[in-house]
Amino acid sequence: MNQPAIDIQGLERRFGTVTAVDGLDLRVEPGQVYGLLGRNGAGKTTTLNTMLGFLAPSAGSVRLLGLDPLQDDLALKRRLGYVPEDLAAYPWMRVGEITRFSAAFHDRWDHGRVEGLIDRFELPRERKVRQLSKGMRAQLLLALALGHHPELLLLDEAGAGLDPLVRQQWQEVLIEVAQDDGTTIFTCSHLVDEVERIADRIGVLVGGRLVVDEELDGFKARCRQVRLWYDGQDSPTLPPAHATKRDGRSWLLDVRDFGPDWEAACRATEPDRMEIVERSLQDLVVDHLASPSSLEVRS
């Protein structure tokens, strides 16, 4: 079995009496694009900070590329790329200067790749970092993070606040490095549409606990809304659903285990009409945030 790119077991992180991350188990395979979703304060950034070695776990273990972020800090940094929400360091440097400065820290620095991304993003090389717009800083951060061809790329709310054009360019580059280089990408975000565009697998974090951990396509396929009409039955015996609501002569079911067996059981109740609704990822994530089930882990 291949060594996972990310292997988190029983992770807890407490701040005094507050538990920010509560017993997190998470595995991300090499080459996978994983999107960790959750509301602000759900524990996403705390999780990422323990992965980066900025915080020590209160309990449990974290391994990235087989390395301990605390004990193998330098070895991991040579293989890791990181994009925070904003670039706060070196505001006095010009774009061209900060690329040369960053190159000094990496033996495998690819000047051609970085210069190509700067041209693609149309970043002004002579402008100082503090003079760049938020979108330009995000593009610069991504170019720098990819300069040494990292095996694993970590992003923390990196797409927040970007205009649609910048976000599209950002997503295109991430898709390219995942497909062409096989880079493993882990992104923490509350932007569902951004994660949906790039991710193979998603997690949903609620109160520091993972309530969904599943392949994206499978998650969307099994979570459906089903509406049933019964003209001659007041109380049909309905198959089990996460939530059931009556609406006049129809019944609306929120189904989290939709599949052939569930559909067959539903049709066996002989509804006069049945409508199966494919829901958006945005709606599904909002529902799971508002009413989480126990952990749903699917391969």
Side-chain angles (χ1 to χ4, degrees):
M1 182 179 294
N2 288 336
Q3 182 184 73
I6 298 173
D7 187 11
I8 298 175
Q9 297 183 20
L11 176 64
E12 294 183 11
R13 176 62 201 189
R14 296 182 294 272
F15 298 92
T17 60
V18 176
T19 300
V21 180
D22 189 3
L24 178 63
D25 293 322
L26 182 62
R27 181 185 175 104
V28 180
E29 301 298 336
Q32 200 166 56
V33 181
Y34 193 103
L36 185 62
L37 293 160
R39 301 173 65 181
N40 292 329
K44 302 187 305 297
T45 295
T46 300
T47 298
L48 191 59
N49 283 340
T50 60
M51 293 165 63
L52 289 162
F54 298 160
L55 294 172
S58 301
S61 64
V62 176
R63 294 289 185 276
L64 305 185
L65 306 173
L67 302 175
D68 184 319
L70 294 173
Q71 297 181 6
D72 306 308
D73 179 56
L74 288 177
L76 186 56
K77 280 184 169 61
R78 294 189 182 100
R79 303 168 63 187
L80 183 71
Y82 170 52
V83 183
E85 185 173 356
D86 201 0
L87 177 59
Y90 314 114
W92 63 88
M93 283 191 178
R94 302 182 189 279
V95 170
E97 291 173 335
I98 200 168
T99 59
R100 293 190 294 273
F101 176 77
S102 300
F105 294 94
H106 296 283
D107 296 334
R108 298 175 54 207
W109 191 259
D110 186 340
H111 290 279
R113 165 179 262 193
V114 176
E115 293 302 312
L117 286 171
I118 287 175
D119 288 339
R120 179 173 177 174
F121 295 147
E122 299 181 349
L123 298 178
R125 287 177 173 78
E126 295 306 313
R127 190 174 300 179
K128 294 183 178 180
V129 170
R130 65 168 171 260
Q131 298 171 326
L132 299 177
S133 67
K134 181 177 179 64
M136 287 180 174
R137 290 197 301 272
Q139 290 169 319
L140 176 59
L141 276 168
L142 183 58
L144 296 175
L146 295 174
H148 60 294
H149 291 270
E151 298 170 54
L152 174 61
L153 179 65
L154 305 179
L155 304 101
D156 183 16
E157 302 286 2
L162 304 185
D163 66 55
L165 178 59
V166 172
R167 186 173 295 170
Q168 180 179 344
Q169 292 176 325
W170 175 281
Q171 291 168 347
E172 287 172 354
V173 171
L174 292 178
I175 291 170
E176 287 171 13
V177 298
Q179 292 178 344
D180 297 344
D181 293 358
T183 304
T184 307
I185 299 175
F186 182 90
T187 178
C188 292
S189 181
H190 62 274
L191 301 174
V192 178
D193 58 337
E194 176 175 294
V195 170
E196 185 173 18
R197 175 84 189 277
I198 65 173
D200 308 315
R201 190 176 183 94
I202 65 164
V204 178
L205 203 61
V206 178
R209 296 184 177 183
L210 202 61
V211 299
V212 172
D213 180 17
E214 187 170 354
E215 297 289 338
L216 175 59
D217 290 343
F219 177 62
K220 293 173 68 175
R222 72 173 178 84
C223 294
R224 291 282 193 266
Q225 261 190 355
V226 178
R227 187 178 290 276
L228 304 167
W229 284 263
Y230 297 90
D231 291 337
Q233 300 183 56
D234 286 333
S235 300
T237 303
L238 300 171
H242 179 73
T244 302
K245 176 183 177 182
R246 186 168 185 174
D247 183 13
R249 301 300 299 175
S250 69
W251 296 79
L252 185 64
L253 284 69
D254 176 4
V255 184
R256 295 188 179 178
D257 286 295
F258 186 83
D261 291 343
W262 194 95
E263 183 176 357
C266 202
R267 294 191 183 280
T269 66
E270 299 183 346
D272 294 284
R273 185 153 62 98
M274 177 174 174
E275 182 180 53
I276 302 169
V277 179
E278 181 176 343
R279 307 182 66 197
S280 69
L281 181 62
Q282 177 78 32
D283 287 344
L284 293 177
V285 170
V286 168
D287 278 357
H288 280 73
L289 292 175
S291 179
S293 304
S294 58
L295 175 60
E296 300 169 10
V297 181
R298 315 260 173 152
S299 57

